[in-house]
Amino acid sequence: MKFDEDRVKKWLINSILFILLAICIMLMLLLLDLVLARYKLSGWDPLAFLGAIIGGFITLVGVRMTINNQYKMDFINKHPLKLKNCEDVFKSIDEALESVYYDLEVKDFYRLGVTFTNLLRRTDELNTKAASVSPLVYYKTTTILYHFEKWNSFLMGKSEKVLLQRELVELINAEIKQVNLLSIEIGETLIYEAEEYEKITRFRS
């Protein structure tokens, strides 16, 4: 089992806070007991009352630990597939963007069309995988694919016309930075999800 300094610190802080809370409750109960004794009111046991509070607190902690453990188990069981799907989406889009940059640089519009087609034929697959990661990744993926579809529609049947080629280049250059930014954000999501998975599984290795 690996040592996690942050987790130990958190446990110590929670323990100290619990002890301080217990002391405060005991002092309040003693004060209340003195007040009741002064006015000769009887029929209550401060220790029993304190025991009930502590018992309820322990029950609450137990329920919370059970819920957290269940969440961790679900997370551990489902997250590998989620990570793989996010990685597939990111790599597919990133590779397509690299190809677009290259195709534009060498002015190979036939290859550019192939790049569009290869990515767009996987639209349903990529959207499904993106949806399994998060709604935000799904939105970014559909937005990226929308731009690829737009570029592809402009290219279809027009690749032999120099003027339209120039217009296509201008169109892509105007939008590709936004598309690339969305791709980078998906990559950042992949890194974040991987870190979360490593954090939760750290004590199970």
Side-chain angles (χ1 to χ4, degrees), residues 9-20:
K9 287 181 179 179
K10 184 177 180 180
W11 182 85
L12 288 174
I13 291 173
N14 289 337
S15 299
I16 293 173
L17 290 176
F18 174 73
I19 293 172
L20 291 175

Side-chain angles (χ1 to χ4, degrees), residues 44-140:
W44 98 298
D45 186 351
L47 292 179
F49 186 73
L50 178 61
I53 293 177
I54 294 176
F57 180 79
I58 292 175
T59 301
L60 178 62
V61 171
V63 171
R64 182 178 178 182
M65 289 178 62
T66 301
I67 294 174
N68 287 341
N69 287 335
Q70 184 61 46
Y71 167 77
K72 289 180 180 179
M73 289 303 300
D74 290 342
F75 185 91
I76 290 171
N77 292 334
K78 297 177 181 178
H79 215 66
L81 178 59
K82 185 177 180 180
L83 281 175
K84 184 179 183 304
N85 287 341
C86 188
E87 183 178 9
D88 288 346
V89 171
F90 172 70
K91 283 187 175 181
S92 299
I93 293 173
D94 188 60
E95 290 173 359
L97 284 172
E98 287 184 4
S99 183
V100 169
Y101 278 116
Y102 176 79
D103 297 340
L104 290 178
E105 183 179 354
V106 299
K107 294 182 171 57
D108 188 341
F109 292 94
Y110 173 79
R111 190 174 183 276
L112 184 64
V114 173
T115 298
F116 293 158
T117 301
N118 288 341
L119 182 67
L120 291 173
R121 68 172 46 150
R122 299 181 60 203
T123 294
D124 291 340
E125 174 196 349
L126 294 176
N127 283 338
T128 300
K129 289 182 176 181
S132 73
V133 179
S134 72
L136 189 57
V137 171
Y138 174 76
Y139 166 75
K140 292 174 181 177

